[in-house]
Amino acid sequence: MAAHIRRRLRKGATTTAVAAAAVAALAASQAPAATLADGSAGSGDPKAAGEDTASGETDGAATGNSPYYTDLPPLVTPDKPGSSSNLPAAGRAEAGIPASILAAYKQAERTVATTDPSCRLPWQLLAAIGKVESGQARGGRVDANGTASPRILGPALNGQGFALIKDTDGGAYDGDAVHDRAVGPMQFIPSTWASWGQDANGDGRKDPNNIYDAALAAGRYLCANDRDLALAADLDQAVLSYNRSTEYLRTVRSWFSYYQRGTHEIPDGTGTLPSTPSTPTPSPRPGAGSGSSATPSPTPSPSKPGKPSPGPSKPGGGGSTSPTPKPPTPKPTPPSETFGSLENAGTGPLRATAGQEFDERVSVLARNAVGAPLAKVPVTFTVTGGTGTLFAGGRKTVTVRTGTDGTATAPKLQAGEKAGEFTVTAVAGTGRPRTLTYAATVTARQADAIARTDEKALVAAPGEKFADAVTVKATYKDAAAAGVAVTATMVKDPLGVIDNDKGPYFKDAKGKPVRTLTTLTTDADGQLRLPEIFADDNEGTYLLRLTTEGGASVVIKLTVEASEETAPEETAPEETAPEETAPDATETPAATKP
């Protein structure tokens, strides 16, 4: 019915205003999910559309503005809004999409969601363009690999009713060594395919006649220039970049809405074929729609060659003959220069001991829109977290440009002194920057062995302190382990499973007994001298267990015992010999016998 109305509008003498109203009514009946953006091509303003439909220039359009099918979907949609995309095959014929074609669209959506998730490409948009361009590859007439047979070619773009595009591929894709033709289910002109072509089915070829290759190429092309296709304005610009025609945009929008409301899979080769191609203007420099499998016959137009037709009427459909200045139209950036994705270039686990240099360096890979490495892209790396980790040179943020292989590698990381988690974020691209975040860990300094520096027995009397200090040394791979945290605990068993609540103890800052210390650290030589150890009134043998970060441990024996008291020896009193005294000088000496 829609096609019938449009043919009457084209052939009759109905005014341009009536034609525009009818087309607008048909498009509006489909209730698109996202309305045309304010001030976009939907307003009928050539400036807003970024087009001049009779200019004859391609303006960088993917299809070279070659012809397309103008059939609109039926006024009765396949199902209510929000219905499943897997409805039974008993629906209306127009709602059915051939199996291989539908699979290609959905595969392209998944692939682009991986490499450019911010584009938010819906497969229904590819289906709408595929319907308008080739009637879903002529109703799904493809082989087991998804390649159209015979190949789908648009008319020669020889300037006679179409744009003038001289041969760019030597006839390799379109078989025409004089002029280019739009090729394949998605109707790419050879020069565009040379830049955007994809190998989506993994056969080693980029074939525009293969629906898998063509659908992925179309998806990447629509996502160019950092577009977010969930936004009406970006979606409109994407469709206009495919074919710079306001009418083309409305037609694609109608089918897009139709497929969003529901569709179903049908066997390959059984799809409904469109019947109404767009009509070119017989001018050396006219603009037309995009390609189809059939070459339409040029229909004379009352409008003068080289003059734009106002409003939503198709090229060659009549209208005002007053010249309208053609506004500059932004062209999609070539895919070799368009940012596609930012990926991990093989960065391994980021883990280092406090104060040490990380062995691994953060590296990213930038790709363009067709998946090839993208050089000279500035990538900014930033360290975030409280471990004190920095890039070499003491910087938290550095910017590095990708090389010819598309990779950028950040400087080495120097771990801080605080153990914990931190992140390194890589950001590249403008508009919608691509971001990668890497988790990293700083572990405490470690030791794989710890031992006393002497073997002297440690003994103290009850209530006294141990006279000899305990000194240990920690090592890691036989080298002194500096700055290693050590925990000292009084325990009842060598494994340290049961803590001891009596016997030897340390003193805290307030002089109170404690039997566990967790604030100990080895010095620059890996040595640690423990604080003074005291004994309570309980005699016995006790254990002190020292453990380090890294799992090294040593158990030290402490003995509390009373010292042996020696009783005083009993000795006989000393006999004192009588003291001999000198005779008193006053005494009279005894008489001596003669």
Side-chain angles (χ1 to χ4, degrees):
M1 176 179 179
H4 177 66
I5 292 174
R6 296 183 57 78
R7 283 196 294 273
R8 291 184 59 191
L9 290 175
R10 258 197 313 277
K11 295 179 181 178
T14 312
T15 65
T16 302
V18 174
V23 172
L26 285 170
S29 70
Q30 308 311 315
T35 59
L36 297 174
D38 293 339
S40 74
S43 65
D45 179 3
K47 290 184 179 182
E51 64 160 329
D52 179 353
T53 57
S55 71
E57 297 179 9
T58 66
D59 292 332
T63 64
N65 291 335
S66 52
Y68 61 96
Y69 286 112
T70 60
D71 295 37
L72 290 173
L75 298 179
V76 179
T77 54
D79 199 52
K80 63 183 181 180
S83 64
S84 169
S85 61
N86 296 310
L87 297 176
R92 295 185 61 92
E94 293 86 347
I97 298 178
S100 294
I101 313 304
L102 182 59
Y105 296 149
K106 291 185 176 181
Q107 176 179 297
E109 179 191 62
R110 291 192 298 270
T111 301
V112 172
T114 300
T115 60
D116 189 5
S118 55
C119 174
R120 296 192 281 185
L121 169 73
W123 67 261
Q124 292 91 341
L125 179 59
L126 296 175
I129 291 175
K131 179 69 173 179
V132 170
E133 294 296 343
S134 66
Q136 309 298 17
R138 296 199 198 97
R141 286 165 176 78
V142 296
D143 63 19
N145 296 320
T147 301
S149 180
R151 60 184 175 178
I152 302 173
L153 296 175
L157 300 176
N158 56 11
Q160 301 301 313
F162 311 109
L164 174 59
I165 304 179
K166 294 183 179 180
D167 176 67
T168 61
D169 66 332
Y173 294 121
D174 56 13
D176 190 334
V178 179
H179 298 97
D180 273 349
R181 297 168 181 257
V183 182
M186 305 304 282
Q187 289 288 277
F188 280 96
I189 56 174
S191 59
T192 304
W193 183 260
S195 297
W196 292 88
Q198 301 287 301
D199 175 20
N201 64 350
D203 64 357
R205 299 177 58 230
K206 297 178 180 179
D207 185 358
N209 273 290
N210 181 274
I211 184 58
Y212 291 95
D213 294 356
L216 181 56
R220 294 198 188 283
Y221 184 90
L222 293 167
C223 289
N225 298 336
D226 290 331
R227 296 190 186 102
D228 179 354
L229 299 183
L231 303 178
D234 280 10
L235 189 144
D236 289 352
Q237 289 303 318
V239 174
L240 287 170
S241 76
Y242 218 85
N243 186 302
R244 300 195 182 283
S245 163
T246 313
E247 180 66 11
Y248 178 84
L249 173 61
R250 282 198 170 89
T251 305
V252 169
R253 275 284 200 165
S254 295
W255 283 105
F256 177 48
S257 174
Y258 184 76
Y259 287 137
Q260 281 186 314
R261 284 173 168 264
T263 185
H264 58 269
E265 178 184 300
I266 60 175
D268 288 348
T270 63
T272 302
L273 295 176
S275 60
T276 312
S278 60
T279 306
T281 302
S283 165
R285 290 173 48 81
S290 56
S292 67
S293 58
T295 304
S297 301
T299 301
S301 168
S303 62
K304 295 182 181 180
K307 306 297 182 180
S309 299
S313 61
K314 291 185 295 183
S320 172
T321 59
S322 59
T324 301
K326 180 183 176 182
T329 302
K331 298 181 180 181
T333 304
S336 61
E337 301 174 8
T338 302
F339 203 115
S341 63
L342 190 66
E343 305 169 10
N344 185 351
T347 305
L350 295 169
R351 190 178 183 89
T353 302
Q356 303 299 309
E357 193 175 70
F358 281 75
D359 293 330
E360 195 73 18
R361 295 171 66 179
V362 178
S363 184
V364 299
L365 170 62
R367 295 187 185 275
N368 61 21
V370 294
L374 189 60
K376 299 181 180 180
V377 175
V379 182
T380 299
F381 299 92
T382 303
V383 175
T384 304
T387 65
T389 301
L390 299 170
F391 289 112
R395 295 170 293 173
K396 293 187 68 173
T397 299
V398 295
T399 299
V400 181
R401 287 185 176 271
T402 58
T404 55
D405 61 352
T407 63
T409 302
K412 284 196 171 185
L413 288 163
Q414 180 71 35
E417 290 297 333
K418 185 176 180 180
E421 305 289 331
F422 71 97
T423 60
V424 179
T425 303
V427 180
T430 57
R432 295 198 321 273
R434 276 59 165 178
T435 301
L436 280 179
T437 300
Y438 299 80
T441 304
V442 175
T443 60
R445 295 174 184 265
Q446 297 183 0
D448 54 18
I450 184 171
R452 285 188 65 190
T453 58
D454 62 64
E455 297 297 331
K456 191 173 182 180
L458 299 170
V459 181
E464 301 294 332
K465 72 176 179 179
F466 287 79
D468 297 307
V470 177
T471 302
V472 294
K473 182 174 183 178
T475 57
Y476 182 71
K477 296 182 179 180
D478 297 327
V484 174
V486 179
T487 299
T489 306
M490 300 297 175
V491 295
K492 290 183 178 180
D493 62 296
L495 296 179
V497 176
I498 304 173
D499 293 352
N500 210 336
D501 58 357
K502 64 180 180 178
Y505 60 88
F506 302 103
K507 288 184 178 180
D508 64 12
K510 296 181 180 180
K512 294 183 178 181
V514 292
R515 290 185 168 85
T516 298
L517 294 178
T518 59
T519 58
L520 307 173
T521 306
T522 60
D523 61 18
D525 297 322
Q527 293 194 9
L528 169 65
R529 181 185 176 94
L530 295 181
E532 291 181 324
I533 302 174
F534 299 86
D536 62 10
D537 295 334
N538 298 288
E539 295 188 48
T541 299
Y542 299 90
L543 301 178
L544 168 62
R545 188 170 189 262
L546 304 178
T547 58
T548 71
E549 288 289 343
S553 66
V554 62
V555 176
I556 301 170
K557 185 170 71 173
L558 303 174
T559 303
V560 179
E561 63 182 10
S563 60
E564 295 182 3
E565 296 183 1
T566 304
E569 292 185 11
E570 293 184 4
T571 58
E574 293 183 2
E575 293 184 2
T576 306
E579 191 174 311
E580 293 184 3
T581 59
D584 190 7
T586 62
E587 291 183 0
T588 302
T592 59
K593 291 180 179 181

